[in-house]
Amino acid sequence: MSRTHGYRLASRTHSLAGLPVTAAALALVLAAALAHASWNLFLKKSRGGPAFMTLVAATAAVIWAPAAAAEWWIKGYAFQPIHLLPIAASAAVHAGYFLLLDRGYRFGDLSVVYPLARATGPVLTVVIAITVLGERPGPIALGGALLVVAGAYLLTGNPLRLFSRDRPRGAGFALLTGATIALYTVIDKIAVSKFLIPPIVFDWACVATRLLIFIPLALRGSPGSILESWRLDRRSILVVAIFSPLAYILVLMAMVFTPVSLVAPAREMSILFAALMGMHFLKEGDATRRLIAAGAIVIGIVALAKG
């Protein structure tokens, strides 16, 4: 699907399940944002680690297998060997994403790590567009970039601290997590819109492949680490295993008929949800400052997409 054709699809007035396409996409993405913030809350509350990630992938592979099989059959999906490329690439990047995000939460607050991670991807896109592709974003996009920086300032006290030794705890992992977000978003958009791999099938295949990556990492630790992780964190494992794929499947479904440049900024509403959850459930301090910062980042990301 070309970029132009994608925009034309998004602007048509016909409906999906009785809703205008744009309204259906917005509903999918907002539901995904709430689900995404929720599983991040449970990841933050857990003990994390490779054993935890292994159990999440294994549980998700089992839970989502019937839905993937049903979608495969209903849509008449025709597997082609070339489809293994986006599946393997996305699984590898997502593995890095989960490990980096988990490390960030071991050190930093949800209401700091999550917004920084989610904001890094769009800002990196603008930087690459200007320095590598020679693009010149309009004033709205540049204003959005400034808002993102302003939000980071409020979260950290000074954005330059993100690259210094006295940066907030977990901020470095958050920045690296953001880089993986930018990368897997592009890969997955290609998978569902160019290769036409059904969203649930694609996500399940990525989860199963990610399990193969995590198992050796988990076994390198204590032999009983997997059983111990299940004993201590099985509720969090179940929540992440259900809501993490659900959140991303909803996004992939939206990307099938909506340009990624519209989907990506809308899903960043999860930043506000995560900030509120961190303040309410985890009693993280500086509530007003962090909420204003999260709001500035959301508005800035939307401006980046529109500009």
Side-chain angles (χ1 to χ4, degrees):
M1 182 186 296
S2 68
R3 181 184 178 95
T4 302
H5 185 55
Y7 277 108
R8 192 161 58 247
L9 280 176
S11 63
R12 288 178 183 172
T13 58
H14 69 271
S15 63
L16 178 73
L19 295 172
V21 169
T22 50
L26 181 61
L28 286 171
V29 174
L30 289 180
L34 181 58
H36 197 279
S38 297
W39 74 254
N40 273 264
L41 171 66
F42 278 85
L43 174 59
K44 167 64 179 173
K45 293 169 65 175
S46 75
R47 292 157 185 80
F52 180 90
M53 295 304 172
T54 300
L55 287 168
V56 166
T59 305
V62 172
I63 290 175
W64 288 96
E71 186 183 46
W72 187 314
W73 181 74
I74 291 172
K75 293 190 175 180
Y77 168 55
F79 171 77
Q80 300 175 37
I82 191 66
H83 293 176
L84 291 174
L85 290 178
I87 289 171
S90 181
V93 177
H94 269 89
Y97 162 80
F98 276 103
L99 292 172
L100 289 167
L101 184 63
D102 176 58
R103 292 301 295 166
Y105 286 150
R106 295 318 109 205
F107 294 101
D109 290 343
L110 175 68
S111 57
V112 170
V113 172
Y114 191 93
L116 287 177
R118 301 307 306 178
T120 302
V123 172
L124 281 177
T125 301
V126 171
V127 172
I128 293 171
I130 294 174
T131 59
V132 178
L133 302 179
E135 296 182 5
R136 294 294 177 265
I140 295 178
L142 293 177
L146 290 176
L147 273 176
V148 172
V149 173
Y153 181 90
L154 287 174
L155 282 176
T156 65
N158 183 348
L160 296 179
R161 290 181 60 207
L162 296 176
F163 306 97
S164 66
R165 290 191 174 185
D166 65 337
R167 60 178 172 265
R169 292 170 61 83
F173 289 110
L175 294 176
L176 292 173
T177 302
T180 65
I181 292 171
L183 184 56
Y184 75 59
T185 299
V186 175
I187 295 172
D188 296 354
K189 169 63 177 177
I190 293 172
V192 299
S193 64
K194 299 290 186 182
F195 290 95
L196 300 179
I197 306 174
I200 301 177
V201 173
F202 175 70
D203 191 73
W204 182 88
C206 291
V207 169
T209 305
R210 194 164 71 238
L211 175 61
L212 300 178
I213 298 173
F214 283 143
I215 288 175
L217 296 177
L219 294 179
R220 284 171 54 187
S222 170
S225 61
I226 294 180
L227 291 177
E228 181 73 0
S229 182
W230 177 258
R231 185 179 70 83
L232 297 174
D233 286 319
R234 58 179 173 271
R235 185 175 70 165
S236 292
I237 289 167
L238 288 170
V239 170
V240 177
I242 294 171
F243 282 89
S244 176
L246 175 63
Y248 204 55
I249 286 167
L250 292 173
V251 169
L252 291 175
M253 290 172 64
M255 286 198 293
V256 170
F257 58 90
T258 307
V260 68
S261 58
L262 299 181
V263 172
R267 68 182 299 214
E268 302 310 336
M269 283 298 296
S270 61
I271 291 175
L272 285 177
F273 295 149
L276 289 170
M277 288 176 181
M279 297 166 200
H280 180 72
F281 295 110
L282 303 179
K283 308 303 180 185
E284 295 174 353
D286 298 321
T288 301
R289 177 173 62 85
R290 293 186 182 188
L291 187 59
I292 293 174
I297 289 173
V298 171
I299 296 171
I301 291 173
V302 173
L304 281 171
K306 297 299 183 181

